């Protein structure tokens, strides 16, 4: 069969890893200096909004996690079920690796998605401001800075989608080991 | 076997439905009036921050979705596999219901989680303010209002966790129908 689940997983991990690195770099390296009075310069960086540093750290850790998982895929192809090995036995102890993969992928996708949404919400307030709360807009002054953050968030969302697909794959790899008719029992061979 | 997957699903749906309704009500009914000068009153409502109305609408829709799914569980118990029926055949057409359930649950959990994180990020800015951006704090003036929003967000997070568990259950219900050794093929009986 031409389609291989392990190749799909490796591809998605490579995509999400590179997009997460790109997001972190775009946010962390973004800065713009504006002269408010002729002698007084004000520099906008990602540290102005406390949700942007959080996004940088989380995306860096998630990229490292995906890179590690990708390395595991290429070094030990049998672990990724490139050729699906038969189940060792109906012993539940052999399930620890799929369960670990599944839970780690789930935690990773929710944390990355949450950090991206949080950063977007903070940035939206910087774009729109809030008349009621007397919070002023910032993006009319720091246009290039805001455009770069917007691009970074777009990359972050695409990375989140790739990680959602990865969480589907790890759920598939785990739950297909269970019996379709008996509840939470392994498939008998 | 004492443990039944359908009962667990119905329980989680009831919990998440009631918590989502509670979150929406706590946010929507929250208001506090303060007299800034003796004659000038300023009322804080959930509409002051644009992420809070979004949270109310999304939680209401998600509660309705879970209620509908719960109704389906109680009316048609066989659909929830209270007693696991044998697979109809290895025909892929019979998979549409588990796939629909799985995808709807996934969409619901990400939207609810994202709305809760977004609302929390906006509220955090109202608690901490931002010196760099000259955004002032609000929660020192509207303490009771902010406490109630905080309680609502806590409920929202617990509801999100319940929906994550529901997404695990629907993934289990879907992927256990697939073969453990052949890629994306249904189990032969």
């Amino acid at each position: 069969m031409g389609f291989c689940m392990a190749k799909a997983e490796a591809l998605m991990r490579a995509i999400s890893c590179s997009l997460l690195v790109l997001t972190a770099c775009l946010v962390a390296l973004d800065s713009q200096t504006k002269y408010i009075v002729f002698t007084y310069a004000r520099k906008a960086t990602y540290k102005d909004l406390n949700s942007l540093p959080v996004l940088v750290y989380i995306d860096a850790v998630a990229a490292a996690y995906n890179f590690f998982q990708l390395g595991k895929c290429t070094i030990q192809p049998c672990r990724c079920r490139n050729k699906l090995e038969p189940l060792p036995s109906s012993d539940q102890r052999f399930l620890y690796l799929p369960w670990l993969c599944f839970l780690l992928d789930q935690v990773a996708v929710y944390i990355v998605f949450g950090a991206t949404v949080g950063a977007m919400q903070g940035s939206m307030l910087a774009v729109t401001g809030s008349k009621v709360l007397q919070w002023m807009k910032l993006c009319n002054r720091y246009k290039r800075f805001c455009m770069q953050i917007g691009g970074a968030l777009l990359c972050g969302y695409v990375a989140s989608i790739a990680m959602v697909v990865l969480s589907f794959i790890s759920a598939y790899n785990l739950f297909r080991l269970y019996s379709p008719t008996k509840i939470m029992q392994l498939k008998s061979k």
Side-chain angles (χ1 to χ4, degrees), chain A residues 20-41:
Chain A
L20 287 168
V21 169
L22 183 64
T23 308
C25 289
L26 277 176
V27 172
L29 300 175
D30 196 6
S31 74
Q32 189 175 9
T33 308
K34 278 265 165 171
Y35 290 90
I36 294 175
V37 202
F38 290 102
T39 49
Y40 176 69

PDB file of all heavy atoms in Angstrom, chain A residues 20-41:
ATOM      1  N   LEU A  20       6.751  25.653  14.201  1.00  0.00           N
ATOM      2  CA  LEU A  20       6.864  26.145  15.577  1.00  0.00           C
ATOM      3  C   LEU A  20       8.137  26.970  15.749  1.00  0.00           C
ATOM      4  O   LEU A  20       8.124  28.026  16.399  1.00  0.00           O
ATOM      5  CB  LEU A  20       6.854  24.972  16.557  1.00  0.00           C
ATOM      6  CG  LEU A  20       5.504  24.280  16.748  1.00  0.00           C
ATOM      7  CD1 LEU A  20       5.675  22.964  17.490  1.00  0.00           C
ATOM      8  CD2 LEU A  20       4.541  25.176  17.496  1.00  0.00           C
ATOM      9  N   VAL A  21       9.247  26.494  15.134  1.00  0.00           N
ATOM     10  CA  VAL A  21      10.502  27.261  15.202  1.00  0.00           C
ATOM     11  C   VAL A  21      10.320  28.612  14.509  1.00  0.00           C
ATOM     12  O   VAL A  21      10.729  29.660  15.029  1.00  0.00           O
ATOM     13  CB  VAL A  21      11.658  26.458  14.557  1.00  0.00           C
ATOM     14  CG1 VAL A  21      12.888  27.327  14.375  1.00  0.00           C
ATOM     15  CG2 VAL A  21      11.993  25.247  15.404  1.00  0.00           C
ATOM     16  N   LEU A  22       9.664  28.577  13.336  1.00  0.00           N
ATOM     17  CA  LEU A  22       9.425  29.817  12.590  1.00  0.00           C
ATOM     18  C   LEU A  22       8.606  30.804  13.415  1.00  0.00           C
ATOM     19  O   LEU A  22       8.919  32.005  13.487  1.00  0.00           O
ATOM     20  CB  LEU A  22       8.708  29.476  11.275  1.00  0.00           C
ATOM     21  CG  LEU A  22       8.429  30.631  10.319  1.00  0.00           C
ATOM     22  CD1 LEU A  22       9.735  31.232   9.828  1.00  0.00           C
ATOM     23  CD2 LEU A  22       7.590  30.170   9.130  1.00  0.00           C
ATOM     24  N   THR A  23       7.532  30.307  14.063  1.00  0.00           N
ATOM     25  CA  THR A  23       6.692  31.172  14.895  1.00  0.00           C
ATOM     26  C   THR A  23       7.509  31.815  16.005  1.00  0.00           C
ATOM     27  O   THR A  23       7.452  33.032  16.215  1.00  0.00           O
ATOM     28  CB  THR A  23       5.548  30.352  15.528  1.00  0.00           C
ATOM     29  OG1 THR A  23       4.871  29.644  14.505  1.00  0.00           O
ATOM     30  CG2 THR A  23       4.575  31.246  16.263  1.00  0.00           C
ATOM     31  N   ALA A  24       8.288  30.970  16.735  1.00  0.00           N
ATOM     32  CA  ALA A  24       9.074  31.483  17.858  1.00  0.00           C
ATOM     33  C   ALA A  24      10.066  32.533  17.386  1.00  0.00           C
ATOM     34  O   ALA A  24      10.215  33.595  18.017  1.00  0.00           O
ATOM     35  CB  ALA A  24       9.797  30.327  18.552  1.00  0.00           C
ATOM     36  N   CYS A  25      10.725  32.277  16.236  1.00  0.00           N
ATOM     37  CA  CYS A  25      11.718  33.242  15.727  1.00  0.00           C
ATOM     38  C   CYS A  25      11.051  34.541  15.293  1.00  0.00           C
ATOM     39  O   CYS A  25      11.523  35.637  15.612  1.00  0.00           O
ATOM     40  CB  CYS A  25      12.487  32.643  14.555  1.00  0.00           C
ATOM     41  SG  CYS A  25      13.602  31.345  15.048  1.00  0.00           S
ATOM     42  N   LEU A  26       9.935  34.417  14.555  1.00  0.00           N
ATOM     43  CA  LEU A  26       9.238  35.622  14.075  1.00  0.00           C
ATOM     44  C   LEU A  26       8.822  36.507  15.242  1.00  0.00           C
ATOM     45  O   LEU A  26       8.937  37.733  15.178  1.00  0.00           O
ATOM     46  CB  LEU A  26       7.998  35.229  13.265  1.00  0.00           C
ATOM     47  CG  LEU A  26       8.212  34.878  11.795  1.00  0.00           C
ATOM     48  CD1 LEU A  26       6.906  34.429  11.169  1.00  0.00           C
ATOM     49  CD2 LEU A  26       8.754  36.072  11.028  1.00  0.00           C
ATOM     50  N   VAL A  27       8.340  35.888  16.329  1.00  0.00           N
ATOM     51  CA  VAL A  27       7.897  36.683  17.482  1.00  0.00           C
ATOM     52  C   VAL A  27       9.103  37.265  18.219  1.00  0.00           C
ATOM     53  O   VAL A  27       9.150  38.457  18.519  1.00  0.00           O
ATOM     54  CB  VAL A  27       7.024  35.830  18.427  1.00  0.00           C
ATOM     55  CG1 VAL A  27       6.725  36.591  19.713  1.00  0.00           C
ATOM     56  CG2 VAL A  27       5.724  35.455  17.751  1.00  0.00           C
ATOM     57  N   ALA A  28      10.098  36.399  18.492  1.00  0.00           N
ATOM     58  CA  ALA A  28      11.208  36.830  19.355  1.00  0.00           C
ATOM     59  C   ALA A  28      12.096  37.867  18.677  1.00  0.00           C
ATOM     60  O   ALA A  28      12.685  38.718  19.355  1.00  0.00           O
ATOM     61  CB  ALA A  28      12.035  35.617  19.768  1.00  0.00           C
ATOM     62  N   LEU A  29      12.209  37.814  17.344  1.00  0.00           N
ATOM     63  CA  LEU A  29      13.115  38.737  16.656  1.00  0.00           C
ATOM     64  C   LEU A  29      12.403  39.999  16.173  1.00  0.00           C
ATOM     65  O   LEU A  29      12.994  40.825  15.475  1.00  0.00           O
ATOM     66  CB  LEU A  29      13.776  38.029  15.456  1.00  0.00           C
ATOM     67  CG  LEU A  29      14.594  36.793  15.822  1.00  0.00           C
ATOM     68  CD1 LEU A  29      15.106  36.108  14.574  1.00  0.00           C
ATOM     69  CD2 LEU A  29      15.743  37.156  16.742  1.00  0.00           C
ATOM     70  N   ASP A  30      11.132  40.134  16.544  1.00  0.00           N
ATOM     71  CA  ASP A  30      10.358  41.281  16.069  1.00  0.00           C
ATOM     72  C   ASP A  30      10.610  42.496  16.966  1.00  0.00           C
ATOM     73  O   ASP A  30      10.492  42.404  18.190  1.00  0.00           O
ATOM     74  CB  ASP A  30       8.863  40.911  16.102  1.00  0.00           C
ATOM     75  CG  ASP A  30       8.038  41.860  15.279  1.00  0.00           C
ATOM     76  OD1 ASP A  30       8.624  42.719  14.607  1.00  0.00           O
ATOM     77  OD2 ASP A  30       6.801  41.728  15.302  1.00  0.00           O
ATOM     78  N   SER A  31      10.976  43.601  16.364  1.00  0.00           N
ATOM     79  CA  SER A  31      11.086  44.853  17.136  1.00  0.00           C
ATOM     80  C   SER A  31      10.997  46.030  16.176  1.00  0.00           C
ATOM     81  O   SER A  31      11.344  45.919  14.989  1.00  0.00           O
ATOM     82  CB  SER A  31      12.397  44.894  17.919  1.00  0.00           C
ATOM     83  OG  SER A  31      13.464  45.142  17.037  1.00  0.00           O
ATOM     84  N   GLN A  32      10.493  47.110  16.680  1.00  0.00           N
ATOM     85  CA  GLN A  32      10.377  48.320  15.846  1.00  0.00           C
ATOM     86  C   GLN A  32      10.575  49.541  16.743  1.00  0.00           C
ATOM     87  O   GLN A  32      10.002  49.626  17.827  1.00  0.00           O
ATOM     88  CB  GLN A  32       9.002  48.375  15.170  1.00  0.00           C
ATOM     89  CG  GLN A  32       8.904  49.493  14.131  1.00  0.00           C
ATOM     90  CD  GLN A  32       7.588  49.481  13.369  1.00  0.00           C
ATOM     91  OE1 GLN A  32       6.662  48.754  13.716  1.00  0.00           O
ATOM     92  NE2 GLN A  32       7.505  50.303  12.334  1.00  0.00           N
ATOM     93  N   THR A  33      11.415  50.462  16.266  1.00  0.00           N
ATOM     94  CA  THR A  33      11.699  51.670  17.052  1.00  0.00           C
ATOM     95  C   THR A  33      11.002  52.852  16.399  1.00  0.00           C
ATOM     96  O   THR A  33      11.038  53.004  15.174  1.00  0.00           O
ATOM     97  CB  THR A  33      13.214  51.925  17.110  1.00  0.00           C
ATOM     98  OG1 THR A  33      13.843  50.730  17.545  1.00  0.00           O
ATOM     99  CG2 THR A  33      13.540  53.044  18.080  1.00  0.00           C
ATOM    100  N   LYS A  34      10.342  53.647  17.226  1.00  0.00           N
ATOM    101  CA  LYS A  34       9.665  54.852  16.719  1.00  0.00           C
ATOM    102  C   LYS A  34      10.139  56.044  17.533  1.00  0.00           C
ATOM    103  O   LYS A  34      10.286  55.951  18.762  1.00  0.00           O
ATOM    104  CB  LYS A  34       8.140  54.698  16.898  1.00  0.00           C
ATOM    105  CG  LYS A  34       7.487  53.886  15.809  1.00  0.00           C
ATOM    106  CD  LYS A  34       6.940  54.762  14.727  1.00  0.00           C
ATOM    107  CE  LYS A  34       6.640  53.906  13.508  1.00  0.00           C
ATOM    108  NZ  LYS A  34       5.918  54.639  12.481  1.00  0.00           N
ATOM    109  N   TYR A  35      10.350  57.146  16.852  1.00  0.00           N
ATOM    110  CA  TYR A  35      10.704  58.375  17.551  1.00  0.00           C
ATOM    111  C   TYR A  35       9.429  59.118  17.884  1.00  0.00           C
ATOM    112  O   TYR A  35       8.716  59.561  16.980  1.00  0.00           O
ATOM    113  CB  TYR A  35      11.656  59.217  16.704  1.00  0.00           C
ATOM    114  CG  TYR A  35      13.016  58.584  16.604  1.00  0.00           C
ATOM    115  CD1 TYR A  35      13.307  57.690  15.582  1.00  0.00           C
ATOM    116  CD2 TYR A  35      13.985  58.847  17.570  1.00  0.00           C
ATOM    117  CE1 TYR A  35      14.541  57.078  15.517  1.00  0.00           C
ATOM    118  CE2 TYR A  35      15.216  58.233  17.509  1.00  0.00           C
ATOM    119  CZ  TYR A  35      15.499  57.357  16.476  1.00  0.00           C
ATOM    120  OH  TYR A  35      16.713  56.732  16.422  1.00  0.00           O
ATOM    121  N   ILE A  36       9.152  59.209  19.173  1.00  0.00           N
ATOM    122  CA  ILE A  36       7.913  59.862  19.581  1.00  0.00           C
ATOM    123  C   ILE A  36       8.138  61.368  19.587  1.00  0.00           C
ATOM    124  O   ILE A  36       7.387  62.134  18.995  1.00  0.00           O
ATOM    125  CB  ILE A  36       7.470  59.330  20.956  1.00  0.00           C
ATOM    126  CG1 ILE A  36       7.094  57.856  20.791  1.00  0.00           C
ATOM    127  CG2 ILE A  36       6.284  60.125  21.493  1.00  0.00           C
ATOM    128  CD1 ILE A  36       6.761  57.147  22.030  1.00  0.00           C
ATOM    129  N   VAL A  37       9.184  61.823  20.256  1.00  0.00           N
ATOM    130  CA  VAL A  37       9.665  63.185  20.071  1.00  0.00           C
ATOM    131  C   VAL A  37      10.986  63.005  19.311  1.00  0.00           C
ATOM    132  O   VAL A  37      11.467  61.888  19.167  1.00  0.00           O
ATOM    133  CB  VAL A  37       9.887  63.887  21.433  1.00  0.00           C
ATOM    134  CG1 VAL A  37       9.857  65.402  21.245  1.00  0.00           C
ATOM    135  CG2 VAL A  37       8.820  63.476  22.431  1.00  0.00           C
ATOM    136  N   PHE A  38      11.603  64.036  18.842  1.00  0.00           N
ATOM    137  CA  PHE A  38      12.785  63.874  17.989  1.00  0.00           C
ATOM    138  C   PHE A  38      13.914  63.133  18.701  1.00  0.00           C
ATOM    139  O   PHE A  38      14.646  62.364  18.105  1.00  0.00           O
ATOM    140  CB  PHE A  38      13.276  65.243  17.498  1.00  0.00           C
ATOM    141  CG  PHE A  38      12.331  65.836  16.502  1.00  0.00           C
ATOM    142  CD1 PHE A  38      11.440  66.830  16.870  1.00  0.00           C
ATOM    143  CD2 PHE A  38      12.318  65.374  15.194  1.00  0.00           C
ATOM    144  CE1 PHE A  38      10.547  67.353  15.963  1.00  0.00           C
ATOM    145  CE2 PHE A  38      11.426  65.900  14.273  1.00  0.00           C
ATOM    146  CZ  PHE A  38      10.542  66.895  14.655  1.00  0.00           C
ATOM    147  N   THR A  39      14.044  63.339  20.018  1.00  0.00           N
ATOM    148  CA  THR A  39      15.169  62.747  20.728  1.00  0.00           C
ATOM    149  C   THR A  39      14.783  61.486  21.496  1.00  0.00           C
ATOM    150  O   THR A  39      15.644  60.731  21.925  1.00  0.00           O
ATOM    151  CB  THR A  39      15.749  63.753  21.730  1.00  0.00           C
ATOM    152  OG1 THR A  39      14.662  64.289  22.494  1.00  0.00           O
ATOM    153  CG2 THR A  39      16.456  64.884  21.006  1.00  0.00           C
ATOM    154  N   TYR A  40      13.497  61.246  21.693  1.00  0.00           N
ATOM    155  CA  TYR A  40      13.061  60.142  22.545  1.00  0.00           C
ATOM    156  C   TYR A  40      12.564  58.987  21.683  1.00  0.00           C
ATOM    157  O   TYR A  40      11.557  59.112  20.988  1.00  0.00           O
ATOM    158  CB  TYR A  40      11.956  60.627  23.494  1.00  0.00           C
ATOM    159  CG  TYR A  40      11.373  59.527  24.345  1.00  0.00           C
ATOM    160  CD1 TYR A  40      12.136  58.934  25.352  1.00  0.00           C
ATOM    161  CD2 TYR A  40      10.071  59.087  24.145  1.00  0.00           C
ATOM    162  CE1 TYR A  40      11.618  57.920  26.121  1.00  0.00           C
ATOM    163  CE2 TYR A  40       9.540  58.075  24.914  1.00  0.00           C
ATOM    164  CZ  TYR A  40      10.309  57.497  25.899  1.00  0.00           C
ATOM    165  OH  TYR A  40       9.793  56.494  26.658  1.00  0.00           O
ATOM    166  N   ALA A  41      13.302  57.868  21.722  1.00  0.00           N
ATOM    167  CA  ALA A  41      12.920  56.706  20.924  1.00  0.00           C
ATOM    168  C   ALA A  41      12.202  55.698  21.818  1.00  0.00           C
ATOM    169  O   ALA A  41      12.585  55.483  22.962  1.00  0.00           O
ATOM    170  CB  ALA A  41      14.146  56.068  20.308  1.00  0.00           C
TER     171      ALA A  41
END
